[in-house]
Amino acid sequence: MNQGNLPFEDILFPSVVRENWQMMQWERIAITGVLARTRPSVALEIGVYYGGSLSLTSQFSSRIIAIDIDPAVPNRFDVPSNVELRIGDSGTLIPQALDDIRASGDALNFVLIDADHSSSGIKRDIEAVLKYQPKEPLIILMHDSGNPECRKGILAADWQANEFVHMVDCDFVPGQIIEHSVVDGRGEVWGGFAIAYLNGNRRAGPLHVGQGARTSIECLHAHMNSTPSEH
Ligand SMILES: C[S@@+](CC[C@H](N)C(=O)[O-])C[C@H]1O[C@@H](n2cnc3c(N)ncnc32)[C@H](O)[C@@H]1O
């Protein structure tokens, strides 16, 4: 190992933007693992905020198109040289980004969806990405799949429409009650990653949209909707 006596975070997450990174440690490790194993030629990140996840994606990808609606985003961090940061609504900018990727001839290998967290917003972003026909393996991660609204959007998306989708699981990383949201013993469920796997081959059979931690997540949602005296 021989990394000296560096702080723990510098060993696990070197050279990333940690301030305001909207992901938990276990999510950061999961996304690091996916990126380290896939080393994307082209990545698409939707929802940048302060650049936390983007600073990680940019370490493992050759080219990244990053989209955020907030015009303040480019002033919040040093944009890495392999990132094309585009400001505007994902509804317009995802189709444009996919057109540019197709025109370049390069393969899109990784997408992170972490922008509009309404169920309709997530569904819209997923279905925009699903217009892409992959030439190579493509992994789509969707953050906050543990949140009831976000999950509704992920489940409502028309996954069947893309014949190159082979696997979807809402609980690749299960969401959690976020500790800093807890008041009177009751808190909100956020975080988690849903995952979808696509490749250049057409799917042979029907597609099952999995919920690998369904029972745990339903218990958490029941907790969210309970009154404190019911605990
Ligand atoms: C939760 S933050 C993203 C966090 C980031 N991925 C990280 O790792 O810290 C959500 C971001 O999505 C952006 N956003 C919300 N709605 C959007 C939309 N319709 N189009 C593009 N970006 C949007 C917000 O401006 C915000 O910066």
Side-chain angles (χ1 to χ4, degrees):
M1 180 155 166
N2 193 22
Q3 287 177 301
N5 292 313
L6 287 172
F8 170 70
E9 288 227 312
D10 288 343
I11 293 175
L12 290 189
F13 310 112
S15 307
V16 295
V17 176
R18 293 196 193 113
E19 294 75 34
N20 299 303
W21 188 358
Q22 303 291 291
M23 290 179 186
M24 309 302 283
Q25 301 271 24
W26 50 87
E27 296 166 342
R28 297 175 187 195
I29 283 293
I31 199 171
T32 301
V34 168
L35 289 166
R37 288 293 184 194
T38 55
R39 301 260 169 194
S41 297
V42 183
L44 175 61
E45 184 158 325
I46 307 146
V48 174
Y49 196 47
Y50 278 74
S53 52
L54 183 61
S55 66
L56 190 59
T57 313
S58 66
Q59 290 183 22
F60 292 97
S61 311
S62 303
R63 176 189 180 197
I64 305 107
I65 300 179
I67 293 170
D68 201 290
I69 201 166
D70 185 347
V73 166
N75 305 321
R76 290 181 178 155
F77 57 95
D78 292 329
V79 180
S81 59
N82 56 348
V83 172
E84 297 160 40
L85 184 52
R86 303 182 178 183
I87 300 303
D89 185 2
S90 58
T92 307
L93 294 190
I94 293 173
Q96 283 178 13
L98 295 178
D99 284 346
D100 291 349
I101 294 165
R102 279 184 209 102
S104 74
D106 293 332
L108 178 65
N109 300 124
F110 177 78
V111 178
L112 173 65
I113 298 179
D114 191 16
D116 180 343
H117 284 60
S118 66
S119 56
S120 59
I122 295 206
K123 178 176 183 288
R124 185 188 69 166
D125 286 352
I126 292 169
E127 290 181 351
V129 171
L130 288 178
K131 297 275 189 269
Y132 182 77
Q133 179 175 331
K135 305 193 283 192
E136 293 183 4
L138 164 61
I139 288 179
I140 307 173
L141 292 183
M142 294 141 275
H143 193 222
D144 291 315
S145 56
N147 180 266
E149 272 297 297
C150 299
R151 198 175 186 87
K152 213 185 292 174
I154 294 166
L155 289 170
D158 187 3
W159 292 101
Q160 312 290 335
N162 185 314
E163 297 175 274
F164 300 87
V165 181
H166 292 270
M167 184 268 281
V168 184
D169 186 351
C170 289
D171 301 311
F172 175 61
V173 175
Q176 301 281 329
I177 295 168
I178 299 301
E179 284 304 326
H180 61 72
S181 75
V182 175
V183 178
D184 287 339
R186 189 175 51 188
E188 295 179 14
V189 182
W190 287 98
F193 278 124
I195 192 169
Y197 176 67
L198 294 77
N199 66 28
N201 299 326
R202 285 196 161 75
R203 187 173 60 244
L207 178 69
H208 171 67
V209 177
Q211 300 188 66
R214 180 180 195 151
T215 309
S216 302
I217 294 291
E218 283 176 359
C219 287
L220 293 177
H221 291 176
H223 158 94
M224 237 177 122
N225 294 324
S226 64
T227 56
S229 61
E230 288 176 313
H231 294 153

